[in-house]
Coordinates of all heavy atoms in Angstrom, one line a residue:
M1 N 2.3 63.0 -55.5 CA 2.9 64.3 -55.7 C 3.9 64.3 -56.8 O 4.6 63.3 -56.9 CB 3.5 64.8 -54.4 CG 4.1 66.2 -54.5 SD 4.8 66.8 -53.0 CE 3.3 67.1 -52.0
R2 N 4.0 65.3 -57.5 CA 5.0 65.5 -58.6 C 5.8 66.7 -58.3 O 5.3 67.7 -57.8 CB 4.3 65.7 -59.9 CG 3.6 64.4 -60.5 CD 3.2 64.6 -61.9 NE 4.3 65.1 -62.8 CZ 5.1 64.3 -63.5 NH1 5.0 63.0 -63.4 NH2 6.0 64.8 -64.2
L3 N 7.1 66.6 -58.6 CA 8.0 67.8 -58.5 C 7.9 68.7 -59.7 O 8.0 68.2 -60.8 CB 9.5 67.3 -58.3 CG 9.8 66.6 -57.0 CD1 11.2 66.0 -57.1 CD2 9.7 67.5 -55.9
F4 N 7.6 69.9 -59.4 CA 7.5 70.9 -60.5 C 8.7 71.0 -61.3 O 9.8 71.1 -60.8 CB 7.2 72.3 -59.9 CG 7.2 73.4 -60.9 CD1 6.1 73.6 -61.7 CD2 8.3 74.2 -61.1 CE1 6.1 74.6 -62.7 CE2 8.3 75.2 -62.1 CZ 7.2 75.3 -62.9
G5 N 8.5 70.9 -62.7 CA 9.6 71.1 -63.6 C 10.6 70.0 -63.7 O 11.7 70.2 -64.3
V6 N 10.3 68.8 -63.2 CA 11.2 67.7 -63.1 C 10.6 66.5 -63.9 O 9.5 66.2 -63.7 CB 11.5 67.3 -61.7 CG1 12.4 66.1 -61.6 CG2 12.2 68.4 -60.9
D7 N 11.4 66.0 -64.8 CA 11.0 64.8 -65.6 C 12.0 63.7 -65.2 O 13.1 63.6 -65.8 CB 11.0 65.1 -67.1 CG 10.5 64.0 -67.9 OD1 9.8 63.1 -67.4 OD2 10.7 64.0 -69.1
A8 N 11.6 62.9 -64.3 CA 12.5 61.8 -63.8 C 12.1 60.5 -64.6 O 11.0 60.3 -65.0 CB 12.3 61.5 -62.3
P9 N 13.1 59.6 -64.8 CA 12.8 58.3 -65.5 C 11.8 57.5 -64.7 O 11.8 57.5 -63.5 CB 14.2 57.6 -65.4 CG 15.2 58.7 -65.2 CD 14.5 59.7 -64.4
E10 N 11.0 56.8 -65.4 CA 10.0 55.9 -64.8 C 10.7 54.8 -64.1 O 11.8 54.4 -64.5 CB 9.0 55.3 -65.9 CG 8.2 56.4 -66.6 CD 7.2 57.2 -65.7 OE1 6.7 56.6 -64.8 OE2 7.0 58.3 -66.0
I11 N 10.1 54.3 -63.0 CA 10.8 53.3 -62.2 C 11.1 52.0 -62.9 O 12.0 51.3 -62.6 CB 9.9 53.0 -60.9 CG1 10.8 52.3 -59.8 CG2 8.6 52.3 -61.2 CD1 11.9 53.1 -59.2
D12 N 10.3 51.7 -63.9 CA 10.5 50.4 -64.7 C 11.5 50.6 -65.9 O 11.6 49.7 -66.7 CB 9.2 49.9 -65.1 CG 8.4 50.8 -66.1 OD1 8.8 51.9 -66.2 OD2 7.4 50.3 -66.7
T13 N 12.2 51.7 -65.9 CA 13.2 51.9 -66.9 C 14.6 51.7 -66.3 O 14.7 51.7 -65.1 CB 13.2 53.3 -67.6 OG1 13.5 54.3 -66.6 CG2 11.8 53.6 -68.2
P14 N 15.6 51.5 -67.1 CA 17.0 51.2 -66.5 C 17.4 52.3 -65.5 O 18.1 52.0 -64.5 CB 17.9 51.1 -67.7 CG 17.0 50.7 -68.8 CD 15.7 51.3 -68.5
E15 N 17.1 53.6 -65.8 CA 17.5 54.7 -64.9 C 16.6 54.9 -63.7 O 16.9 55.7 -62.8 CB 17.7 55.9 -65.7 CG 19.0 55.9 -66.6 CD 20.3 55.8 -65.8 OE1 20.4 56.4 -64.7 OE2 21.2 55.1 -66.2
G16 N 15.4 54.4 -63.8 CA 14.4 54.6 -62.8 C 14.8 54.3 -61.4 O 14.7 55.2 -60.5
P17 N 15.4 53.1 -61.1 CA 15.8 52.8 -59.7 C 16.9 53.8 -59.2 O 17.0 54.1 -58.1 CB 16.3 51.4 -59.8 CG 15.5 50.8 -61.0 CD 15.4 51.9 -61.9
H18 N 17.8 54.2 -60.1 CA 18.8 55.2 -59.8 C 18.2 56.5 -59.4 O 18.7 57.2 -58.4 CB 19.8 55.4 -60.9 CG 20.5 54.2 -61.3 ND1 21.4 53.5 -60.5 CD2 20.5 53.4 -62.4 CE1 21.9 52.5 -61.1 NE2 21.3 52.4 -62.3
A19 N 17.2 57.0 -60.1 CA 16.5 58.2 -59.8 C 15.8 58.1 -58.4 O 15.9 59.0 -57.6 CB 15.5 58.6 -60.9
R20 N 15.2 57.0 -58.2 CA 14.5 56.8 -56.9 C 15.5 56.7 -55.7 O 15.2 57.3 -54.7 CB 13.7 55.4 -57.0 CG 13.0 55.1 -55.7 CD 12.0 56.2 -55.2 NE 11.5 55.9 -53.9 CZ 10.3 55.5 -53.7 NH1 9.5 55.3 -54.7 NH2 9.9 55.3 -52.5
A21 N 16.6 56.1 -55.9 CA 17.6 56.0 -54.9 C 18.2 57.4 -54.6 O 18.4 57.7 -53.4 CB 18.8 55.1 -55.3
A22 N 18.4 58.2 -55.6 CA 18.9 59.6 -55.5 C 17.9 60.4 -54.6 O 18.3 61.2 -53.8 CB 19.2 60.2 -56.8
L23 N 16.6 60.2 -54.9 CA 15.6 60.9 -54.2 C 15.6 60.5 -52.7 O 15.5 61.3 -51.8 CB 14.2 60.7 -54.8 CG 13.0 61.3 -54.1 CD1 13.1 62.8 -54.1 CD2 11.7 60.9 -54.8
D24 N 15.7 59.2 -52.5 CA 15.7 58.7 -51.1 C 16.9 59.2 -50.4 O 16.9 59.6 -49.2 CB 15.8 57.1 -51.1 CG 14.4 56.5 -51.6 OD1 13.4 57.2 -51.6 OD2 14.5 55.3 -51.9
D25 N 18.1 59.3 -51.1 CA 19.3 59.8 -50.5 C 19.2 61.3 -50.1 O 19.7 61.7 -49.0 CB 20.5 59.6 -51.4 CG 21.0 58.2 -51.5 OD1 20.6 57.3 -50.6 OD2 21.8 57.9 -52.4
L26 N 18.5 62.0 -51.0 CA 18.3 63.5 -50.7 C 17.4 63.7 -49.5 O 17.7 64.6 -48.7 CB 17.7 64.1 -51.9 CG 18.6 64.5 -53.1 CD1 17.8 64.9 -54.3 CD2 19.5 65.7 -52.7
I27 N 16.4 62.9 -49.4 CA 15.4 63.1 -48.4 C 15.8 62.4 -47.1 O 15.7 63.0 -46.0 CB 14.0 62.7 -48.8 CG1 13.6 63.6 -50.0 CG2 13.0 62.7 -47.7 CD1 12.3 63.2 -50.7
G28 N 16.2 61.1 -47.2 CA 16.5 60.4 -46.0 C 15.3 60.5 -45.0 O 14.2 60.3 -45.3
A29 N 15.7 60.8 -43.8 CA 14.7 60.9 -42.7 C 14.4 62.4 -42.4 O 13.8 62.8 -41.4 CB 15.2 60.2 -41.4
S30 N 14.8 63.3 -43.3 CA 14.7 64.7 -43.1 C 13.3 65.2 -43.3 O 12.5 64.6 -44.1 CB 15.6 65.5 -44.1 OG 16.9 65.1 -43.9
A31 N 13.0 66.3 -42.8 CA 11.7 66.9 -43.0 C 11.7 67.6 -44.4 O 12.7 68.1 -44.8 CB 11.4 68.0 -42.0
V32 N 10.6 67.4 -45.1 CA 10.5 68.0 -46.5 C 9.4 69.0 -46.4 O 8.3 68.8 -46.0 CB 10.2 66.9 -47.5 CG1 10.0 67.5 -48.9 CG2 11.2 65.8 -47.5
A33 N 9.8 70.2 -47.0 CA 8.8 71.3 -47.1 C 8.5 71.5 -48.5 O 9.4 71.6 -49.4 CB 9.3 72.6 -46.5
C34 N 7.2 71.5 -48.9 CA 6.8 71.7 -50.3 C 5.9 72.9 -50.4 O 5.0 73.2 -49.6 CB 6.1 70.4 -50.7 SG 7.1 68.9 -50.8
D35 N 6.1 73.6 -51.6 CA 5.2 74.7 -51.9 C 4.4 74.2 -53.2 O 4.9 74.0 -54.2 CB 6.0 75.9 -52.3 CG 6.8 76.4 -51.1 OD1 6.3 76.4 -50.0 OD2 8.0 76.9 -51.4
E36 N 3.1 74.1 -53.0 CA 2.2 73.7 -54.1 C 2.2 74.7 -55.2 O 2.0 75.9 -54.9 CB 0.8 73.4 -53.5 CG -0.1 72.9 -54.6 CD -1.5 72.6 -54.0 OE1 -1.6 72.1 -52.9 OE2 -2.5 72.9 -54.8
C37 N 2.3 74.2 -56.4 CA 2.3 75.1 -57.6 C 1.0 74.9 -58.4 O 0.5 75.8 -59.0 CB 3.5 74.8 -58.5 SG 5.1 74.9 -57.8
D38 N 0.5 73.6 -58.4 CA -0.5 73.3 -59.3 C -1.1 71.9 -58.9 O -0.6 71.2 -58.0 CB 0.0 73.2 -60.7 CG -1.1 73.3 -61.8 OD1 -2.2 73.5 -61.5 OD2 -0.7 73.3 -63.0
I39 N -2.1 71.5 -59.6 CA -2.7 70.1 -59.5 C -2.7 69.6 -60.9 O -3.1 70.3 -61.9 CB -4.1 70.1 -59.0 CG1 -4.2 70.8 -57.6 CG2 -4.7 68.7 -59.0 CD1 -3.6 70.0 -56.5
D40 N -2.1 68.4 -61.1 CA -2.0 67.9 -62.5 C -3.3 67.2 -62.9 O -4.3 67.2 -62.2 CB -0.8 67.0 -62.7 CG -0.9 65.6 -62.0 OD1 -2.0 65.3 -61.5 OD2 0.1 64.8 -62.0
Q41 N -3.3 66.7 -64.2 CA -4.6 66.2 -64.7 C -5.0 64.9 -64.0 O -6.1 64.5 -64.2 CB -4.4 65.9 -66.2 CG -3.4 64.8 -66.6 CD -2.0 65.2 -66.8 OE1 -1.6 66.2 -66.3 NE2 -1.3 64.5 -67.6
F42 N -4.1 64.3 -63.2 CA -4.5 63.1 -62.4 C -4.8 63.4 -61.0 O -5.0 62.5 -60.2 CB -3.3 62.1 -62.5 CG -3.0 61.7 -63.9 CD1 -1.8 62.2 -64.4 CD2 -3.8 60.9 -64.7 CE1 -1.4 61.8 -65.7 CE2 -3.5 60.6 -66.0 CZ -2.3 61.1 -66.5
G43 N -4.9 64.7 -60.7 CA -5.3 65.1 -59.3 C -4.1 65.2 -58.3 O -4.3 65.4 -57.1
R44 N -2.9 65.0 -58.8 CA -1.7 65.0 -57.9 C -1.3 66.4 -57.7 O -1.3 67.3 -58.6 CB -0.6 64.2 -58.5 CG -0.9 62.7 -58.7 CD 0.3 62.0 -59.4 NE 0.3 62.5 -60.8 CZ 1.0 61.9 -61.7 NH1 1.7 60.8 -61.5 NH2 1.0 62.4 -62.9
T45 N -0.8 66.7 -56.5 CA -0.2 68.0 -56.2 C 1.2 68.1 -57.0 O 2.0 67.2 -57.0 CB 0.1 68.1 -54.7 OG1 -1.2 68.0 -54.1 CG2 0.8 69.4 -54.4
V46 N 1.4 69.3 -57.6 CA 2.7 69.6 -58.2 C 3.3 70.6 -57.3 O 2.7 71.7 -57.0 CB 2.5 70.1 -59.7 CG1 3.8 70.4 -60.3 CG2 1.7 69.1 -60.5
A47 N 4.5 70.4 -56.9 CA 5.2 71.3 -55.9 C 6.7 71.4 -56.1 O 7.3 70.5 -56.7 CB 4.8 70.8 -54.5
T48 N 7.2 72.4 -55.6 CA 8.7 72.5 -55.4 C 8.9 72.1 -53.9 O 8.1 72.5 -53.0 CB 9.2 73.9 -55.6 OG1 8.5 74.9 -54.9 CG2 9.2 74.3 -57.1
C49 N 9.9 71.2 -53.7 CA 10.1 70.7 -52.4 C 11.5 70.9 -52.0 O 12.4 70.9 -52.8 CB 9.8 69.2 -52.4 SG 8.0 68.8 -52.7
F50 N 11.7 71.1 -50.7 CA 13.0 71.4 -50.1 C 13.3 70.6 -48.9 O 12.4 70.3 -48.1 CB 13.0 72.9 -49.7 CG 12.8 73.9 -50.8 CD1 11.5 74.2 -51.2 CD2 13.9 74.4 -51.5 CE1 11.3 75.1 -52.3 CE2 13.7 75.3 -52.5 CZ 12.4 75.6 -52.9
V51 N 14.6 70.2 -48.8 CA 15.1 69.6 -47.6 C 16.1 70.7 -47.1 O 17.1 70.9 -47.7 CB 15.8 68.3 -47.8 CG1 16.5 67.8 -46.6 CG2 14.8 67.3 -48.3
G52 N 15.7 71.4 -46.0 CA 16.5 72.5 -45.6 C 16.4 73.6 -46.7 O 15.3 73.9 -47.2
N53 N 17.6 74.0 -47.2 CA 17.6 75.0 -48.3 C 17.9 74.3 -49.6 O 18.1 75.0 -50.6 CB 18.8 76.0 -48.0 CG 18.5 76.9 -46.8 OD1 17.3 77.2 -46.6 ND2 19.5 77.3 -46.1
V54 N 17.8 73.0 -49.7 CA 18.1 72.3 -50.9 C 16.8 72.0 -51.7 O 15.9 71.4 -51.2 CB 18.8 71.0 -50.6 CG1 19.0 70.2 -51.9 CG2 20.2 71.2 -50.0
D55 N 16.7 72.6 -52.9 CA 15.6 72.3 -53.8 C 15.8 70.9 -54.3 O 16.8 70.6 -55.0 CB 15.6 73.3 -55.0 CG 14.5 73.1 -56.0 OD1 14.1 72.0 -56.2 OD2 14.1 74.1 -56.5
V56 N 14.9 70.0 -54.0 CA 15.0 68.6 -54.3 C 15.0 68.4 -55.8 O 15.8 67.6 -56.3 CB 13.8 67.8 -53.6 CG1 13.9 66.3 -54.1 CG2 13.9 67.8 -52.1
G57 N 14.1 69.0 -56.5 CA 14.1 68.9 -58.0 C 15.4 69.3 -58.6 O 16.0 68.6 -59.5
E58 N 15.9 70.5 -58.2 CA 17.2 71.0 -58.8 C 18.3 70.0 -58.5 O 19.2 69.8 -59.3 CB 17.5 72.4 -58.3 CG 18.8 72.9 -58.9 CD 19.1 74.3 -58.3 OE1 18.3 74.9 -57.6 OE2 20.2 74.8 -58.7
A59 N 18.3 69.5 -57.3 CA 19.4 68.5 -56.9 C 19.3 67.3 -57.7 O 20.4 66.8 -58.2 CB 19.3 68.2 -55.4
L60 N 18.2 66.7 -58.0 CA 18.0 65.5 -58.9 C 18.5 65.8 -60.3 O 19.2 65.0 -60.9 CB 16.6 65.1 -58.9 CG 16.1 64.4 -57.6 CD1 14.6 64.1 -57.7 CD2 16.8 63.1 -57.3
I61 N 18.2 67.0 -60.8 CA 18.6 67.4 -62.1 C 20.1 67.6 -62.1 O 20.8 67.1 -63.0 CB 17.9 68.7 -62.6 CG1 16.4 68.4 -62.7 CG2 18.5 69.3 -63.8 CD1 15.6 69.7 -62.8
R62 N 20.7 68.2 -61.1 CA 22.2 68.4 -61.0 C 22.9 67.1 -60.9 O 24.0 67.0 -61.4 CB 22.5 69.3 -59.8 CG 23.9 69.8 -59.8 CD 24.2 70.9 -58.8 NE 23.4 72.1 -59.0 CZ 23.7 73.0 -60.0 NH1 24.7 72.8 -60.8 NH2 22.9 74.0 -60.1
Q63 N 22.3 66.1 -60.3 CA 23.0 64.8 -60.2 C 22.8 64.0 -61.5 O 23.3 62.9 -61.6 CB 22.4 64.0 -59.1 CG 22.7 64.6 -57.7 CD 22.0 63.8 -56.6 OE1 21.6 62.6 -56.8 NE2 21.8 64.4 -55.5
G64 N 22.0 64.5 -62.5 CA 21.8 63.7 -63.7 C 20.8 62.6 -63.5 O 20.7 61.7 -64.3
R65 N 20.0 62.7 -62.5 CA 19.0 61.7 -62.2 C 17.6 62.1 -62.7 O 16.6 61.3 -62.7 CB 18.9 61.4 -60.7 CG 20.2 60.8 -60.2 CD 20.5 59.5 -60.9 NE 21.8 58.9 -60.5 CZ 22.4 58.0 -61.2 NH1 21.9 57.6 -62.3 NH2 23.6 57.6 -60.8
A66 N 17.5 63.3 -63.3 CA 16.2 63.7 -63.9 C 16.6 64.8 -64.9 O 17.7 65.4 -64.9 CB 15.3 64.3 -62.8
L67 N 15.6 65.2 -65.7 CA 15.7 66.2 -66.7 C 14.8 67.4 -66.3 O 13.9 67.2 -65.5 CB 15.2 65.7 -68.1 CG 16.0 64.5 -68.7 CD1 15.3 64.0 -69.9 CD2 17.4 64.8 -69.0
V68 N 15.1 68.5 -66.9 CA 14.2 69.7 -66.8 C 13.0 69.4 -67.6 O 13.1 69.1 -68.8 CB 14.9 71.0 -67.2 CG1 13.9 72.1 -67.1 CG2 16.1 71.2 -66.4
Y69 N 11.8 69.6 -67.1 CA 10.5 69.5 -67.8 C 10.2 70.9 -68.3 O 9.4 71.6 -67.7 CB 9.4 68.9 -66.9 CG 8.4 68.2 -67.6 CD1 7.7 67.2 -66.9 CD2 8.0 68.4 -68.9 CE1 6.7 66.5 -67.5 CE2 7.0 67.7 -69.5 CZ 6.3 66.7 -68.8 OH 5.3 66.0 -69.4
R70 N 10.9 71.2 -69.4 CA 10.9 72.6 -69.9 C 9.5 73.2 -70.3 O 9.3 74.4 -70.1 CB 11.8 72.7 -71.1 CG 13.3 72.7 -70.7 CD 14.2 72.8 -71.9 NE 15.6 72.9 -71.4 CZ 16.3 71.9 -71.0 NH1 15.8 70.7 -71.0 NH2 17.5 72.0 -70.5
V71 N 8.6 72.4 -70.7 CA 7.3 72.9 -71.0 C 6.7 73.6 -69.8 O 5.9 74.5 -69.9 CB 6.4 71.8 -71.6 CG1 6.0 70.8 -70.6 CG2 5.1 72.4 -72.2
F72 N 7.0 73.2 -68.6 CA 6.5 73.8 -67.4 C 7.4 74.8 -66.8 O 6.9 75.8 -66.1 CB 6.2 72.7 -66.3 CG 5.1 71.8 -66.8 CD1 5.4 70.5 -67.1 CD2 3.8 72.2 -66.9 CE1 4.4 69.6 -67.6 CE2 2.8 71.3 -67.3 CZ 3.1 70.0 -67.7
T73 N 8.7 74.7 -66.9 CA 9.6 75.7 -66.3 C 9.8 77.0 -67.2 O 10.2 78.0 -66.6 CB 11.0 75.1 -66.1 OG1 11.6 74.6 -67.3 CG2 10.9 73.9 -65.1
L74 N 9.4 76.9 -68.4 CA 9.6 78.1 -69.3 C 9.0 79.3 -68.7 O 7.8 79.3 -68.4 CB 9.0 77.8 -70.7 CG 9.3 78.8 -71.8 CD1 10.8 79.0 -72.0 CD2 8.5 78.5 -73.0
G75 N 9.8 80.3 -68.5 CA 9.3 81.6 -67.9 C 9.1 81.6 -66.4 O 8.7 82.6 -65.8
S76 N 9.4 80.5 -65.8 CA 9.2 80.4 -64.3 C 10.5 80.9 -63.6 O 11.5 81.1 -64.2 CB 8.9 79.0 -63.8 OG 10.1 78.2 -63.9
D77 N 10.3 81.1 -62.3 CA 11.5 81.6 -61.5 C 12.6 80.5 -61.4 O 13.7 80.8 -61.1 CB 11.0 81.9 -60.1 CG 10.1 83.1 -60.0 OD1 10.1 83.9 -60.9 OD2 9.5 83.3 -58.9
L78 N 12.2 79.3 -61.7 CA 13.2 78.2 -61.6 C 13.9 77.8 -62.9 O 14.8 77.0 -63.0 CB 12.5 76.9 -61.1 CG 11.9 77.1 -59.7 CD1 11.1 75.9 -59.3 CD2 12.9 77.4 -58.7
E79 N 13.4 78.4 -64.0 CA 14.0 78.1 -65.3 C 15.5 78.1 -65.4 O 16.1 77.2 -65.8 CB 13.3 79.0 -66.4 CG 13.8 78.7 -67.8 CD 13.2 79.6 -68.9 OE1 12.7 80.7 -68.5 OE2 13.3 79.2 -70.1
A80 N 16.1 79.2 -65.1 CA 17.5 79.4 -65.2 C 18.3 78.4 -64.3 O 19.2 77.8 -64.8 CB 17.9 80.8 -64.9
A81 N 17.9 78.3 -63.1 CA 18.6 77.4 -62.2 C 18.5 75.9 -62.6 O 19.5 75.2 -62.6 CB 18.1 77.5 -60.8
Y82 N 17.3 75.5 -63.0 CA 17.1 74.1 -63.5 C 17.9 73.9 -64.8 O 18.5 72.8 -64.9 CB 15.6 73.8 -63.6 CG 14.9 73.5 -62.3 CD1 15.4 73.9 -61.1 CD2 13.7 72.8 -62.4 CE1 14.7 73.7 -59.9 CE2 13.0 72.5 -61.2 CZ 13.5 73.0 -60.0 OH 12.8 72.7 -58.8
N83 N 17.8 74.8 -65.7 CA 18.6 74.6 -67.0 C 20.1 74.6 -66.7 O 20.8 73.7 -67.3 CB 18.3 75.7 -67.9 CG 16.9 75.6 -68.5 OD1 16.2 74.5 -68.5 ND2 16.4 76.6 -69.2
A84 N 20.6 75.4 -65.8 CA 22.0 75.4 -65.5 C 22.4 74.1 -64.8 O 23.5 73.5 -65.1 CB 22.4 76.6 -64.6
A85 N 21.5 73.5 -64.0 CA 21.8 72.3 -63.3 C 21.9 71.1 -64.3 O 22.8 70.3 -64.3 CB 20.7 72.0 -62.3
E86 N 21.0 71.1 -65.3 CA 21.0 70.1 -66.3 C 22.2 70.2 -67.2 O 22.9 69.2 -67.5 CB 19.7 70.1 -67.2 CG 19.6 69.0 -68.1 CD 18.4 69.0 -68.9 OE1 17.3 68.6 -68.4 OE2 18.4 69.4 -70.1
L87 N 22.6 71.4 -67.5 CA 23.8 71.6 -68.4 C 25.0 71.1 -67.6 O 25.9 70.5 -68.2 CB 23.9 73.1 -68.7 CG 25.0 73.5 -69.6 CD1 24.9 72.9 -71.0 CD2 25.1 75.0 -69.8
A88 N 25.1 71.4 -66.4 CA 26.3 70.9 -65.6 C 26.3 69.4 -65.5 O 27.4 68.8 -65.7 CB 26.2 71.5 -64.2
A89 N 25.2 68.8 -65.3 CA 25.1 67.3 -65.2 C 25.5 66.7 -66.6 O 26.3 65.7 -66.6 CB 23.7 66.8 -64.8
R90 N 25.0 67.3 -67.6 CA 25.3 66.8 -69.0 C 26.8 67.0 -69.3 O 27.5 66.1 -69.8 CB 24.5 67.5 -70.0 CG 24.6 67.0 -71.4 CD 23.6 67.6 -72.3 NE 23.6 66.9 -73.5 CZ 22.7 67.0 -74.5 NH1 21.7 67.9 -74.3 NH2 22.7 66.3 -75.5
R91 N 27.4 68.1 -68.9 CA 28.8 68.4 -69.2 C 29.7 67.5 -68.4 O 30.7 67.0 -68.9 CB 29.1 69.9 -68.7 CG 30.6 70.3 -68.9 CD 30.9 71.5 -68.1 NE 30.7 71.3 -66.7 CZ 30.1 72.1 -65.8 NH1 29.6 73.2 -66.2 NH2 29.9 71.8 -64.6
D92 N 29.3 67.2 -67.2 CA 30.1 66.3 -66.3 C 29.7 64.8 -66.5 O 30.3 64.0 -65.8 CB 29.9 66.7 -64.8 CG 30.4 68.1 -64.5 OD1 31.2 68.6 -65.3 OD2 30.0 68.7 -63.5
Q93 N 28.8 64.5 -67.4 CA 28.4 63.2 -67.7 C 27.9 62.4 -66.5 O 28.4 61.3 -66.2 CB 29.4 62.4 -68.5 CG 29.7 63.0 -69.8 CD 30.8 62.3 -70.6 OE1 31.8 61.8 -70.1 NE2 30.5 62.1 -71.9
L94 N 27.0 63.0 -65.7 CA 26.5 62.4 -64.5 C 25.1 61.7 -64.8 O 24.4 62.2 -65.6 CB 26.3 63.5 -63.4 CG 27.5 64.2 -63.0 CD1 27.1 65.3 -62.0 CD2 28.6 63.3 -62.4
G95 N 24.9 60.7 -64.1 CA 23.6 60.0 -64.1 C 23.2 59.6 -65.5 O 23.9 58.8 -66.2
I96 N 22.1 60.1 -66.0 CA 21.6 59.7 -67.3 C 22.5 60.1 -68.5 O 22.4 59.7 -69.6 CB 20.1 60.1 -67.6 CG1 20.0 61.7 -67.5 CG2 19.2 59.5 -66.6 CD1 18.7 62.2 -67.9
W97 N 23.4 61.1 -68.2 CA 24.3 61.6 -69.1 C 25.6 60.8 -69.2 O 26.5 61.2 -69.9 CB 24.6 63.1 -68.9 CG 23.3 63.9 -68.8 CD1 22.8 64.4 -67.7 CD2 22.5 64.2 -69.9 NE1 21.6 65.1 -68.0 CE2 21.4 65.0 -69.4 CE3 22.5 64.0 -71.3 CZ2 20.4 65.5 -70.2 CZ3 21.5 64.5 -72.1 CH2 20.4 65.2 -71.5
E98 N 25.7 59.7 -68.4 CA 27.0 59.0 -68.4 C 27.5 58.4 -69.7 O 28.7 58.3 -69.9 CB 26.9 57.9 -67.3 CG 26.9 58.4 -65.9 CD 26.8 57.3 -64.9 OE1 25.8 56.5 -65.0 OE2 27.7 57.2 -64.0
T99 N 26.6 58.0 -70.5 CA 27.0 57.4 -71.8 C 27.3 58.5 -72.8 O 26.7 59.5 -72.8 CB 25.9 56.4 -72.3 OG1 24.7 57.2 -72.6 CG2 25.6 55.3 -71.4
K100 N 28.2 58.2 -73.7 CA 28.6 59.2 -74.7 C 27.4 59.5 -75.6 O 27.4 60.6 -76.2 CB 29.8 58.7 -75.4 CG 31.0 58.6 -74.6 CD 32.2 58.2 -75.4 CE 33.4 58.0 -74.5 NZ 34.4 59.1 -74.6
N101 N 26.5 58.6 -75.8 CA 25.4 58.8 -76.8 C 24.1 59.3 -76.1 O 23.1 59.4 -76.8 CB 25.1 57.5 -77.5 CG 26.3 57.0 -78.3 OD1 27.0 57.9 -78.9 ND2 26.5 55.7 -78.4
A102 N 24.2 59.7 -74.9 CA 23.0 60.2 -74.2 C 22.5 61.5 -74.9 O 23.3 62.4 -75.2 CB 23.3 60.5 -72.7
E103 N 21.2 61.6 -75.1 CA 20.7 62.8 -75.7 C 19.6 63.4 -74.9 O 18.8 62.8 -74.3 CB 20.1 62.4 -77.1 CG 21.1 62.0 -78.1 CD 20.6 61.6 -79.4 OE1 19.5 62.1 -79.7 OE2 21.2 60.9 -80.2

């Protein structure tokens, strides 16, 4: 499964384990509810997922553990919220934005 509109670092990159840990922390043992949006080219479900009222994708972006995958969010209901979350993480230098040279 892929989170709609979220571009997280691959697990084998320096930030990958941090992104995975953030996802594990968000979900824990909680129930996750997902709304399917699409099926990707590899046959995986693309969905927005929630733990309670928390949008998992938006939370990862807000923590600086993922980026907005703008090619998919453009014009969607989530575009403004996801972009605002990324801007806040970048401003606050969280996660992948911690280094001064992060782009």
Side-chain angles (χ1 to χ4, degrees):
M1 181 177 291
R2 291 190 49 92
L3 290 171
F4 172 80
V6 175
D7 187 14
E10 299 296 328
I11 195 68
D12 61 349
T13 65
E15 286 297 323
H18 298 293
R20 176 58 188 254
L23 178 62
D24 290 344
D25 287 345
L26 279 167
I27 294 173
S30 301
V32 179
C34 296
D35 297 321
E36 183 178 322
C37 303
D38 202 0
I39 302 292
D40 74 6
Q41 70 268 28
F42 302 107
R44 296 176 294 196
T45 299
V46 180
T48 53
C49 296
F50 298 85
V51 173
N53 292 326
V54 175
D55 179 327
V56 174
E58 183 179 352
L60 289 173
I61 294 166
R62 187 168 302 283
Q63 293 176 22
R65 296 301 175 196
L67 301 171
V68 178
Y69 208 152
R70 285 182 174 77
V71 69
F72 295 109
T73 59
L74 186 64
S76 76
D77 292 344
L78 300 174
E79 180 181 17
Y82 280 23
N83 287 345
E86 186 177 285
L87 184 62
R90 190 173 189 168
R91 179 196 64 226
D92 296 339
Q93 296 183 320
L94 301 176
I96 61 175
W97 306 108
E98 285 179 305
T99 62
K100 291 184 187 256
N101 295 324
E103 293 182 21

